[in-house]
Amino acid sequence: MIEKLFINGDVYKDGQTYQLNLGITNERISYIGSEQPESKQTVNCSGLTILPGVIDTQVHFRDPGATHKEDLESGSRAAALGGITTFFDMPNTAPSTTNKHELRKKIMMGQEKCITNFGFFIGATEDNHDEIKRVVGMEGLCGVKIFLGSSTGDLLLENKIVIEKMFREIPLMFSIHSEDEQIMRANKAKLLNPTVMDHYKWRSKESAISSTKKIIDIAKSAKKKIHILHISTSEEVDFLIENNDTATFEITPQHLHLSAPECYEQLGTFAQMNPPIRERYHQDRLWRALKNNEVAIIGSDHAPHTIKEKKYPYPKSPSGIPGVQTIFPLMLNAVLEQKISLQQLMKYMVENPVKIFKIKNKGELSVDFDADLTIVDLKATTKIENKKMESKVGWTPFHEKTLKGKVSMTVVRGTIVMKEGEICAMPETSNKAPISVYF
């Protein structure tokens, strides 16, 4: 007998939606069809669209080390409220996730605290090459993160020889924060009494373009395909399209929905992130990249800081914007406003993440795949409000923005963890698990 049966929904499959019923047994999809087999629990999804579980491949949940801003429990709850069934967490915690011991500790914390699936990056440093090789194949490891430019935390790797050796010898996907540290240092030295309006001048487009060109050259030399995070410039988009045999790239909703200088005038340091929000022509190019299928992934770069911290005078104010709860609603709204298609959104937030990071048993609604579902109401609306943010920091730059579409349910391995805006599972009762990758 089927454990749970979702009926009367429009099921997204092979790029189209079909009115089908979907059954779940032992955490996996066990039935898809027009019949209504016997089940222990039936969930009526009339008027709703059932999508494969959405994945956010870049979050900073601050656990361990800065849990006053976020931890794995609050972050995964925010993810579930936003329709995210799986997240990948970055290594710039305290201590940094740069060895097997710290990675294992994080995975154990994820099993204790999360209500969604999870994966963790290990951070690359000057001297942890052998340590990274030791964790290849560990369940819960999604890839390696390299910070070419300094950001929140103390991870920074600029040594070309070390990077190329890692690219050649480590069979994992490398995700890159691409900003040229030397150019940024020179820019900063020229700024007298800087304000937040200078943030995108300090972390200039030239620093991003220079860094991206350098890392592509290294990857080409090592014959390694890499993934570059939060692309923010028109020039990088054009360059990466020319080099799509060497790198895929990500865009964030922040860079798609905010532009300079307006965002700094309106939000001040609450619009401060790395790489920075830039002028409108960069934003326009990012939207064209989405429309033209030139980008690979949309990721949130969820990077929370408290309101008190964000109010520090610039440049002491930390860079980072929360976004795991709003990424999918913002992009679903873009679909319903016909900026991109639903098929494109599923590629950017489901299919391509699975393909690029080689995630087992996820990415489609098919028998024997993990029962991760994001269920939406395409006719409803959503209002983003600070008071509804599950993140510990309790704010979003998109406060009071009204969106088309609504996330109605989030299902993780067959367990309904969120329904109609309410969390309905606890970490100890949900069927979440670390992701596995294949080689």
Side-chain angles (χ1 to χ4, degrees):
M1 179 185 292
I2 290 172
E3 292 175 359
K4 194 179 274 99
L5 185 67
F6 293 82
I7 63 170
N8 301 327
D10 290 327
V11 176
Y12 182 91
K13 189 168 177 57
D14 302 324
Q16 303 292 329
T17 55
Y18 308 89
Q19 190 165 73
L20 298 170
N21 299 326
L22 188 149
I24 295 169
T25 307
N26 296 328
E27 303 182 14
R28 294 198 176 184
I29 297 169
S30 57
Y31 174 79
I32 295 182
S34 56
E35 305 288 327
Q36 189 170 331
E38 189 176 356
S39 63
K40 294 179 181 178
Q41 180 183 357
T42 300
V43 181
N44 191 342
C45 294
S46 179
L48 303 178
T49 300
I50 303 173
L51 305 172
V54 175
I55 300 169
D56 188 349
T57 54
Q58 191 191 177
V59 305
H60 301 262
F61 282 168
R62 310 300 192 202
D63 198 352
T67 54
H68 67 287
K69 309 183 194 210
E70 199 77 281
D71 62 23
L72 288 166
E73 181 172 354
S74 63
S76 73
R77 288 167 65 91
L81 282 166
I84 304 297
T85 60
T86 302
F87 66 81
F88 292 174
D89 185 59
M90 290 298 170
N92 52 329
T93 47
S96 300
T97 314
T98 56
N99 57 58
K100 187 174 184 177
H101 174 69
E102 293 301 332
L103 178 61
R104 183 181 285 120
K105 278 173 57 179
K106 254 190 172 180
I107 292 167
M108 291 175 64
M109 286 195 299
Q111 291 170 324
E112 293 172 359
K113 295 183 176 184
C114 293
I115 61 170
T116 59
N117 303 306
F118 53 85
F120 295 106
F121 284 92
I122 188 167
T125 70
E126 289 270 354
D127 56 7
N128 74 336
H129 179 276
D130 291 339
E131 195 67 35
I132 294 175
K133 291 180 76 172
R134 287 181 62 204
V135 300
V136 171
M138 182 184 290
E139 186 181 46
L141 173 66
C142 54
V144 184
K145 173 70 176 286
I146 295 180
F147 288 87
L148 297 176
S150 57
S151 190
T152 302
D154 57 2
L155 288 171
L156 177 63
L157 178 58
E158 301 178 89
N159 191 314
K160 177 180 177 180
I161 295 173
V162 171
I163 295 171
E164 184 168 343
K165 180 178 172 63
M166 286 186 175
F167 283 176
R168 289 186 184 277
E169 298 184 8
I170 296 171
L172 293 168
M173 177 53 67
F174 283 73
S175 289
I176 314 295
H177 179 123
S178 182
E179 292 180 285
D180 191 307
E181 187 69 16
Q182 293 183 349
I183 291 177
M184 290 192 297
R185 288 171 187 158
N187 289 342
K188 189 176 182 181
K190 297 174 186 176
L191 295 173
L192 300 176
N193 301 316
T195 71
V196 72
M197 299 295 293
D198 295 308
H199 191 60
Y200 65 103
K201 301 171 186 174
W202 167 24
R203 309 183 82 99
S204 63
K205 71 174 185 179
E206 289 80 11
S207 72
I209 297 162
S210 170
S211 176
T212 295
K213 288 183 176 179
K214 287 178 182 178
I215 199 66
I216 290 294
D217 284 344
I218 297 172
K220 282 182 179 291
S221 178
K223 296 180 172 57
K224 176 76 170 181
K225 190 155 189 177
I226 61 175
H227 181 63
I228 304 184
L229 300 168
H230 40 45
I231 289 297
S232 61
T233 73
S234 172
E235 291 85 351
E236 283 177 287
V237 171
D238 293 337
F239 176 75
L240 288 168
I241 290 167
E242 294 173 0
N243 293 274
N244 61 10
D245 58 334
T246 303
T248 55
F249 68 96
E250 169 200 89
I251 292 174
T252 77
Q254 298 92 294
H255 290 105
L256 290 167
H257 291 86
L258 303 174
S259 62
E262 300 86 6
C263 69
Y264 300 109
E265 294 168 350
Q266 296 166 6
L267 299 169
T269 53
F270 288 84
Q272 180 187 333
M273 66 176 291
N274 302 333
I277 307 299
R278 303 191 189 276
E279 302 95 324
R280 178 82 64 173
Y281 81 91
H282 294 293
Q283 183 189 78
D284 291 342
R285 183 65 184 93
L286 298 181
W287 275 111
R288 290 201 305 277
L290 288 181
K291 188 71 174 178
N292 298 336
N293 299 300
E294 294 164 335
V295 65
I297 288 176
I298 302 172
S300 73
D301 192 15
H302 174 84
H305 299 283
T306 66
I307 292 173
K308 179 181 178 180
E309 290 166 335
K310 291 296 280 187
K311 286 183 176 179
Y312 290 161
Y314 184 86
K316 292 183 179 179
S317 50
S319 292
I321 295 174
V324 72
Q325 188 172 333
T326 54
I327 176 175
F328 183 68
L330 284 167
M331 299 316 302
L332 184 64
N333 177 75
V335 169
L336 296 173
E337 290 188 339
Q338 300 184 334
K339 293 181 178 179
I340 58 173
S341 68
L342 180 60
Q343 186 176 15
Q344 286 175 312
L345 181 55
M346 291 297 95
K347 284 185 178 180
Y348 301 146
M349 295 198 71
V350 181
E351 296 163 24
N352 288 348
V354 166
K355 180 180 178 181
I356 290 168
F357 291 94
K358 300 181 178 179
I359 313 172
K360 291 180 180 178
N361 299 323
K362 298 191 185 298
E364 60 182 87
L365 300 181
S366 296
V367 171
D368 289 333
F369 276 67
D370 290 343
D372 296 337
L373 316 176
T374 301
I375 302 177
V376 299
D377 185 341
L378 299 179
K379 296 180 180 179
T381 59
T382 299
K383 186 175 182 180
I384 300 176
E385 296 178 271
N386 287 338
K387 66 181 181 181
K388 295 180 181 178
M389 294 296 104
E390 190 69 15
S391 172
K392 286 186 178 183
V393 299
W395 67 273
T396 168
F398 304 109
H399 175 57
E400 295 192 332
K401 186 176 181 66
T402 299
L403 307 174
K404 296 178 181 178
K406 183 182 77 170
V407 180
S408 294
M409 274 183 272
T410 305
V411 181
V412 178
R413 293 181 180 251
T415 296
I416 300 173
V417 298
M418 188 283 292
K419 185 174 182 180
E420 299 301 335
E422 298 293 332
I423 297 295
C424 44
M426 298 296 288
E428 60 269 23
T429 61
S430 61
N431 294 329
K432 84 292 181 183
I435 59 97
S436 296
V437 301
Y438 62 88
F439 294 92

